[in-house]
Amino acid sequence: VQLQASGGGLVQAGGSLRVSCVASGSIFSINAMRWYRQAPGKQRELVADISSDGSTNYANSVKGRFTISRDNAKKTVYLQMSSLTPEDTAVYYCNAAIRSYLITPYVDYWGQGTQVTVSS
């Protein structure tokens, strides 16, 4: 199983960006999907998560600005980011709880990260 993140880049403050993460490999089902971020010198923090039925949660710092969504058919999770500030600059990592077969437990997998840089 692999998670491949994409869509990061450089954007000006106030701008928008969407990052995506697609899961591939032996996948029977995907439970929660999440986005984390890690800024230089800081710990990795949970930004948003979405359950298999579409329920979402957000960190206070991104509420009202970021939207997490998923396309189960495409095995993809998205993070739409708007009103970006330099404080949003970080490497963004996707994470998903994936079951490879019916009888196996869910296992957490991580994507490789995608850099988001917001200039002032």
Side-chain angles (χ1 to χ4, degrees):
V1 175
Q2 289 187 329
L3 295 179
Q4 181 70 41
S6 61
L10 174 64
V11 63
Q12 288 189 333
S16 299
L17 200 64
R18 188 178 81 160
V19 293
S20 304
C21 177
V22 58
S24 63
S26 180
I27 297 171
F28 178 78
S29 65
I30 303 176
N31 199 354
M33 305 184 83
R34 308 175 184 91
W35 284 100
Y36 287 78
R37 67 184 180 187
Q38 186 166 20
K42 294 188 177 181
Q43 288 187 333
R44 190 173 297 189
E45 64 172 347
L46 177 63
V47 176
D49 65 66
I50 183 167
S51 67
S52 56
D53 65 1
S55 300
T56 59
N57 292 288
Y58 297 92
N60 287 334
S61 59
V62 307
K63 276 182 182 177
R65 301 188 299 121
F66 290 13
T67 301
I68 188 171
S69 61
R70 63 192 284 171
D71 184 328
N72 291 328
K74 294 182 179 179
K75 299 182 179 63
T76 300
V77 61
Y78 305 95
L79 186 68
Q80 177 68 48
M81 302 178 286
S82 60
S83 302
L84 286 162
T85 73
E87 287 69 40
D88 295 314
T89 296
V91 178
Y92 284 71
Y93 297 92
C94 56
N95 165 273
I98 295 174
R99 174 185 283 180
S100 290
Y101 304 97
L102 177 60
I103 60 171
T104 59
Y106 283 101
V107 175
D108 267 356
Y109 292 90
W110 290 87
Q112 84 286 6
T114 184
Q115 177 70 47
V116 172
T117 302
V118 184
S119 63
S120 57

